[in-house]
Every structure is written in structure tokens, then in C-alpha cells.
Amino acid sequence: TERLVKASQSSRKVKAFSNEDMYMQFLIDMDTKPEYIGTGFSILDRMTFIEQGDFIIVAGRPSTGKTAFTLQMMLNMAKQGKKCAYFSLETGSQKLYQRAVACYHRINYDHVKMRRLTHEEQNIINKSADAFLSLPFHFFNAAGMTAEQIEYEAVQMGADVIFVDYLGIVMDKSQGRYEKITNNSINLHTLAQRNGITVVALSQLRRSQGTKLSKPRMDDLRESGQIEADADLILMLFNEAK
């Protein structure tokens, strides 16, 4: 009886849609222009159609540019007016912000790190400062945060898109590594669907065996097959030149 009562209480929160309701919405959708969230990479946008509530994985082997790629994605989405949040669980927000500034203004990141901006670079920053400051994004020092805490912060700020760097170190009470990754994938996927927030989570791939790098495959996703089941889109970074 207790289990049935709990199930009844939770089921009241679930909204059901009849065939007729869904058909009417389908007709309305066909008469309206679709609104997809662009990544800012034209080739990628022609092959993918990112919507609110999607759960996206950006995967790559260590040091393949996952953070750099997603920072550029965030800037491009912010230019479209999407309110973005970048939850970094291993890199400080100030360091990421410096990378974002260098990326946006297309200036030498080494000059930023060494505090040796050229006169030309300083002029570039000054001229586009207002445009850059108008971009709606936030950085979070998310070390030690759980998926539930990330969800709370994202909802509180009214985020359209959030980035989680990275999936494997989101805090979870599970003992085993497999169970932890599985739970984090499920929780972030649920976060996306429940709140209509697009979630972009970074994920590690297994290291390539041998000296020659091979193109990554789905089964290279580290430690849990749940990621494949949950993700609406999986992007894998690979440098063929190496």
C-alpha cells in the first residue's frame, strides 16, 4: 500500500499528452520556423539540430581540446542570446575566463598568460569590450558539486545551455566508478529533459592502444555504456594529423 501511495503521488507530477493533443501540436510546429541552437561551426550545424533539453556529449582522449572546443561553443551560443553556464570541476573559473577572452578576441593566449599583451591586442580588446561584456554567460567553480547542485544553480540563473567539464568527476555517493558515471549520465540527462535546459557534458575516451591513434568509436566512451543510451548527440574529437 505504501509503495502504491508513493507511486500515485509521483505520478500526479507527470503530464500526459493525448494523441489529439500531440497531433495539434505537430500541425502548429509544421507552420512555425524551427529554432535550433547553433554551435557556431557551420559544417557541424548542417549535420546536427540541437534543441532545448538535449543532452550532448563532447568526448575525446586527454588533451584533445575538449575544453577549448566547448568554450568556443559557449561563446557562439551566447552570441545568439542563449544564457549559458560553464561548470568547471577541475579548472578555475579565472583561467577559463582568460581562455574565453583570448578566444573571443582572437589574441595570443600565451600573451594573456604571461601578461604581455601587445599594443595591438590591447586595442582589439578595448574596441570590442562592450560587445563581449554583453554576452550572457557565467562560470562556476564546480569542484565537488553533485548533479543536483548543478541543476539548482542552472535553474536559479535561468540557463538555456550549460556545460559540465567533465562528466567523470561530478560528485556522486556511489562507491564504484561504473556506477558513479552511470548515475551522473542519468542525472544530467534528466536535468536536461525536466527543465528544458540543453546540457553539454565533456567525457573522456579510453586511451588508444599502441603508438598509432585510431578513430574513436562509441565503445571508447569511458567506464559506462549508459552514456550512449542517454545522449541525444555524441561529438568525438580526433586529430587525423597526429
Side-chain angles (χ1 to χ4, degrees):
T1 302
E2 185 180 350
R3 287 198 300 270
L4 287 173
V5 169
K6 287 183 178 179
S8 173
Q9 290 173 342
S10 62
S11 68
R12 291 171 190 165
K13 301 176 184 178
V14 179
K15 191 172 183 180
F17 300 93
S18 69
N19 182 17
E20 184 179 358
D21 292 337
M22 297 299 288
Y23 188 72
M24 292 303 296
Q25 186 60 51
F26 172 80
L27 294 178
I28 293 172
D29 290 343
M30 292 303 100
D31 282 336
T32 58
K33 185 178 179 181
E35 292 187 11
Y36 298 113
I37 303 173
T39 64
F41 300 93
S42 57
I43 295 176
L44 189 57
D45 288 336
R46 287 198 294 270
M47 296 186 290
T48 61
F49 302 93
I50 299 173
E51 299 181 276
Q52 294 292 152
D54 280 353
F55 178 45
I56 299 164
I57 294 293
V58 175
R61 297 187 176 96
S63 301
T64 51
K66 297 183 293 296
T67 300
F69 176 65
T70 51
L71 280 175
Q72 182 66 70
M73 278 182 65
M74 183 194 72
L75 291 172
N76 292 339
M77 291 175 175
K79 289 177 185 177
Q80 302 169 46
K82 300 299 180 183
K83 200 168 186 179
C84 300
Y86 203 104
F87 292 85
S88 177
L89 289 99
E90 62 175 359
T91 305
S93 293
Q94 191 59 39
K95 184 179 289 187
L96 287 176
Y97 188 79
Q98 290 173 359
R99 293 178 67 174
V101 170
C103 181
Y104 180 87
H105 297 290
R106 298 185 179 184
I107 60 177
N108 192 314
Y109 180 50
D110 285 344
H111 293 175
V112 174
K113 289 195 295 182
M114 299 300 294
R115 312 296 192 267
R116 294 178 179 173
L117 294 178
T118 65
H119 182 68
E120 182 182 359
E121 288 171 335
Q122 290 176 336
N123 286 337
I124 290 172
I125 290 175
N126 292 336
K127 287 180 180 178
S128 53
D130 289 342
F132 182 70
L133 289 171
S134 69
L135 297 180
F137 65 80
H138 292 69
F139 283 105
F140 286 84
N141 285 328
M145 289 182 69
T146 64
E148 290 78 12
Q149 290 170 328
I150 291 173
E151 178 176 15
Y152 174 80
E153 296 295 344
V155 172
Q156 284 293 107
M157 67 168 283
D160 298 306
V161 185
I162 68 170
F163 297 81
V164 180
D165 188 5
Y166 65 96
L167 179 67
I169 54 176
V170 174
M171 186 61 68
D172 184 81
K173 294 181 180 179
S174 303
Q175 297 297 319
R177 182 72 178 171
Y178 178 89
E179 187 179 359
K180 178 179 179 180
I181 301 296
T182 297
N183 288 344
N184 285 339
S185 179
I186 292 172
N187 289 335
L188 291 177
H189 175 254
T190 303
L191 183 166
Q193 284 203 331
R194 179 162 52 209
N195 302 288
I197 296 173
T198 301
V199 177
V200 181
L202 284 67
S203 179
Q204 296 278 23
L205 293 175
R206 295 188 185 93
R207 291 186 181 274
S208 183
Q209 300 297 319
T211 57
K212 186 178 180 180
L213 289 178
S214 58
K215 287 186 178 180
R217 306 185 311 174
M218 292 287 230
D219 56 7
D220 287 325
L221 286 166
R222 219 176 200 182
E223 291 151 329
S224 177
Q226 187 65 40
I227 300 172
E228 290 182 59
D230 291 332
D232 296 291
L233 173 66
I234 298 176
L235 303 174
M236 294 187 178
L237 304 185
F238 178 68
N239 187 354
E240 291 184 309
K242 289 188 176 181

